Amino acid sequence: MSAPQRRVPAVPSGARSLRRTLTSRRSRRSASALVTIAGGPHPVELAGLLHELTVRLLSADTLPRALDRLSALAVGSLPGAVRCSVALIGEGGPLMEATSGSAGEAFDRQQYEGSLGPGLEAARTRSLVTAGDLCNDDRWPQLREAAAASGVRAVAAVPLDVRRTAVGALSVYLENPGEPAPELLVTAMALAGQAEVLLGELVRRAALTEGAEVDRAVGVIIAQRGCGVQEAYAVLQESAQRLGLDRRVVAERLVAAAARKSGS
């Protein structure tokens, strides 16, 4: 994916120093640094919000469910937000998306279908992208009508980087025109920074679970066929490809079938 030349809109001089602070990787990952910025949320409120996010995401049993919870918490806690969408793009995989809020559905749909827009630009460039008036923004003229029709006028798109897994963005939409307020930017950046860590942990847990299930299935294949480890892994992989299923799903079914057979 190629990155557009222009990353963020021109902003008043008073907002430039805030953006430089927010777009630095160190500031985005440090809640203590974020809450010291003028206009930001109260440290106690931010700490409570990050705690709630941690509980919600770590209790999710799947990554898509975690993304749903992230978008729901964001739209409910960010001042003025009428829609929040989360998009993740994995290595060679399809776009994974979660949204909350009634406004902006047409805008998001057209953005992802056309592979252009603030959320995708934030993901591609790994930088904060804001727009004060989506109905008149020169960067995405194809999206102007969708913005007007779906009731969103301004946006702040914060990049997400789930290490070694996916890149994406948390996009916060507002119904009134105007540059997103410092408090919203600070809180959204803090949520995104915490979410990166939590989503990475969920991916790590899923990989461990998959690895354990695959190892059990390989053991079943070895017992059934009397083959070696490498051949058993190859059999499992070939079965998954032939059936058009994820390797973990095939492994779970094989282990379950072996358990039923041994119990009969």
Side-chain angles (χ1 to χ4, degrees), residues 11 31 35 54-56 68 103 115 137 161 165 177 188 206 217 231 249 251 262-263:
V11 295
V35 298
T54 301
V55 172
R56 289 193 186 189
D68 285 337
S115 296
D137 199 295
D161 188 356
T165 303
E231 183 180 347
V249 174
S262 64

Side-chain angles (χ1 to χ4, degrees), residues 11-19:
V11 295
S13 58
R16 291 195 185 104
S17 60
L18 171 64
R19 179 164 293 157

Side-chain angles (χ1 to χ4, degrees), residues 93-244:
L95 176 74
M96 188 179 298
E97 180 192 356
T99 61
S100 292
S102 56
E105 181 178 352
F107 184 91
D108 263 346
R109 182 172 63 251
Q110 189 167 332
Q111 173 182 203
Y112 297 132
E113 288 177 354
S115 296
L116 55 86
L120 294 178
E121 185 171 335
R124 289 167 177 151
T125 63
R126 313 294 202 277
S127 63
L128 173 68
V129 175
T130 67
D133 191 353
L134 291 168
C135 295
N136 295 288
D137 199 295
D138 293 335
R139 289 168 294 173
W140 314 291
Q142 303 93 327
L143 298 175
R144 291 176 182 173
E145 291 185 7
S150 58
V152 291
R153 294 294 299 273
V155 66
V158 184
L160 288 170
D161 188 356
V162 183
R163 189 178 179 188
R164 294 192 296 271
T165 303
V167 296
L170 168 66
S171 300
V172 183
Y173 294 96
L174 310 173
E175 64 178 342
N176 296 318
E179 283 294 323
E183 181 178 358
L184 182 142
L185 294 176
V186 169
T187 308
M189 295 293 279
L191 286 175
Q194 183 79 345
E196 287 179 346
V197 176
L198 299 172
L199 294 174
E201 173 62 15
L202 291 176
V203 171
R204 185 190 70 83
R205 290 181 183 180
L208 290 176
T209 302
E210 178 184 7
E213 200 67 32
V214 167
D215 287 345
R216 285 192 287 269
V218 165
V220 171
I221 295 172
I222 292 173
Q224 291 177 344
R225 300 194 174 202
C227 61
V229 173
Q230 293 301 322
E231 183 180 347
Y233 273 106
V235 169
L236 180 62
Q237 186 63 35
E238 290 171 3
S239 298
Q241 292 176 350
R242 185 176 65 256
L243 296 171

